[in-house]
Amino acid sequence: MTLIPFAWVRACSRLLGPLRRLVAHGWLRESDVDVVLKLLHPALRLNRVFALVTQRQWVADDMLELTLQANGNWRGAQPGQHLQLYLERDGVRLSRSYSLTAVQANGRVQIAIKHQAGGRVSPYLLEHLAVGDVLELGPVQGELSWPETPDAVLLLAAGSGITPLLGLLRAALAQGFSAPITLLHYVREQGQRAFAGELQALQAQYSNLQVRWSLTAATAEAGELTGRFTAEHLHSVTALPQCRVLACGPAGFVAQVQQWWQQAALPGALQVEAFTPPAFNAVEGLRAVRLGFARSHQQMQADNQRSLLELAEAQGLQPAHGCRQGICASCTCTLLSGTVRDMRSGALFSEPGQPIRLCVSAPHADLEIDL
Ligand code: FES
């Protein structure tokens, strides 16, 4: 039940300044204030960002685009970034990171969610989240950005890697970018060509845009390519030598693009973003270590092969986390003593007080963390 309409929630944010000052001076607790505010509307909070689901739209057989209207605490985002989304299920707080497919100045954003079989979050969002529900939004992150030069642009996407690139493409076209743009999207089959209808309409509207799909597990139709990324797929790309290239997809796909880029030695620039775990550096032999969780007053016999996030979960703890790939920073924790190894680079860290990302850090020697 809501006592005030959502339209008032955004306006109310400006009126909460005195309460914020009382909280800042320790006269009130933010959590107590929030308990009262959410009685007025579930999206009303003193500082935290909550958003109302205003629209659901299927954009592929396995992908849903959500339109969200944030409360007045939203501080904005850029196309190409991703945001953290929180929800509570069965008393457990869950979090995932999703790319923004559209960003508007009034706190209205769109994200696209791909179904992950066996996942705890995406099946719920796709099947049960309804228009009118409220979700908490977390920090916005991500470095992908539309090139600042007026050169041709090549967008390479695999699977849900299309989502941040679509956000950038929509914004660039709306702002009048007029150099050639080629978008090449790799999907397993026809039904996974996310946003196909919109992309075909944009291609008809903007003569500088060329969109192509490559099917990796089905027979291609006329005009489509077949198979995984290869340099041969780029033969028809307009102004390829001058292109600024943006690539997003699973780590293997991004690695293939990077390898092509190095061999081609093009003079432009390459930006990449991978959203599956990078290949971990596995040079260390198996070793037992003692791992302490200071806040939880727990200790465990661990090994040096698994991430601290996996080890904590195996111990029954529930650390906050999102991407599990070292990107979103929501699993960041403080190292109190001992040594950890960055599983991506193999680098060792042993400075007490150092922030570490649990999902990509493994124990190197006995250690204690602030969890
Ligand atoms: S869960 Fe995202 S950085 Fe660890």
Side-chain angles (χ1 to χ4, degrees):
M1 190 182 75
T2 63
L3 296 179
I4 61 173
F6 184 77
W8 293 11
V9 169
R10 286 180 60 75
C12 275
S13 180
R14 285 192 291 277
L15 306 177
L16 297 175
L19 285 175
R20 291 193 185 99
R21 281 193 286 281
L22 289 174
V23 167
H25 287 95
W27 291 93
L28 286 174
R29 284 199 314 198
E30 181 174 341
S31 55
D32 293 338
V33 176
D34 277 351
V35 166
V36 177
L37 293 178
K38 73 180 180 185
L39 292 176
L40 300 176
H41 192 288
L44 184 60
R45 294 294 194 285
L46 199 59
N47 295 306
R48 290 157 70 187
V49 180
F50 279 71
L52 187 73
V53 179
T54 60
Q55 195 178 348
R56 291 167 49 99
Q57 185 181 5
W58 287 98
V59 292
D61 288 354
D62 59 350
M63 190 181 286
L64 179 78
E65 187 176 54
L66 289 180
T67 303
L68 306 172
Q69 177 70 58
N71 67 15
N73 300 328
W74 172 254
R75 293 291 167 263
Q78 297 298 320
Q81 291 190 302
H82 43 89
L83 64 72
Q84 206 63 25
L85 187 150
Y86 301 100
L87 74 156
E88 208 167 295
R89 291 200 59 205
D90 306 325
V92 179
R93 185 171 159 86
L94 301 169
S95 159
R96 294 291 183 274
S97 182
Y98 295 103
S99 292
L100 293 158
T101 51
V103 179
Q104 293 182 9
N106 60 0
R108 194 162 170 266
V109 295
Q110 290 176 308
I111 57 174
I113 299 162
K114 186 176 167 68
H115 182 262
Q116 305 290 346
R120 296 181 72 187
V121 175
S122 72
Y124 172 80
L125 294 175
L126 269 56
E127 290 157 25
H128 301 291
L129 188 75
V131 169
D133 285 351
V134 166
L135 294 167
E136 182 171 4
L137 308 185
V140 177
Q141 295 182 325
E143 306 294 330
L144 278 182
S145 61
W146 194 262
E148 289 178 358
T149 61
D151 300 306
V153 172
L154 171 60
L155 305 173
L156 297 170
S160 54
I162 185 67
T163 54
L165 300 185
L166 178 71
L168 289 165
L169 176 67
R170 282 170 163 172
L173 291 173
Q175 288 163 15
F177 186 83
S178 57
I181 306 169
T182 305
L183 167 61
L184 184 47
H185 187 193
Y186 290 83
V187 293
R188 287 178 55 77
E189 56 200 25
Q190 288 281 343
Q192 295 182 343
R193 299 179 313 148
F195 302 94
E198 177 181 343
L199 288 168
Q200 282 160 338
L202 287 173
Q203 188 171 223
Q205 183 180 354
Y206 296 97
S207 59
N208 59 325
L209 174 63
Q210 184 191 32
V211 182
R212 296 196 77 182
W213 286 271
S214 184
L215 305 190
T216 58
T219 307
E221 294 187 355
E224 293 176 338
L225 302 166
T226 309
R228 293 175 185 273
F229 173 78
T230 158
E232 279 146 34
H233 287 171
L234 305 179
H235 283 159
S236 65
V237 172
T238 309
L240 181 62
Q242 289 79 42
C243 272
R244 310 284 148 169
V245 183
L246 284 79
C248 185
F253 168 77
V254 167
Q256 278 182 316
V257 172
Q258 287 173 310
Q259 193 178 17
W260 157 73
W261 175 259
Q262 279 166 3
Q263 287 169 356
L266 300 182
L270 171 67
Q271 294 182 59
V272 297
E273 185 171 279
F275 53 72
T276 49
F280 286 150
N281 180 324
V283 292
E284 298 254 319
L286 179 64
R287 207 171 46 244
V289 294
R290 196 160 38 80
L291 170 57
F293 303 101
R295 265 194 238 192
S296 315
H297 305 291
Q298 293 192 40
Q299 295 229 336
M300 71 182 290
Q301 276 302 119
D303 61 72
N304 66 338
Q305 300 291 308
R306 288 181 288 168
S307 72
L308 291 169
L309 180 58
E310 290 173 289
L311 290 165
E313 288 173 338
Q315 184 69 5
L317 302 179
Q318 295 178 340
H321 65 273
C323 66
R324 303 183 81 100
Q325 304 162 32
I327 298 171
C328 71
S330 55
C331 65
T332 301
C333 180
T334 304
L335 176 66
L336 298 176
S337 65
T339 307
V340 294
R341 174 172 49 92
D342 186 310
M343 298 171 78
R344 300 163 296 182
S345 64
L348 300 180
F349 299 96
S350 51
E351 184 78 19
Q354 167 131 20
I356 50 172
R357 296 187 182 189
L358 298 178
C359 64
V360 289
S361 301
H364 179 72
D366 293 352
L367 76 155
E368 188 173 44
I369 58 176
D370 187 23
L371 186 71

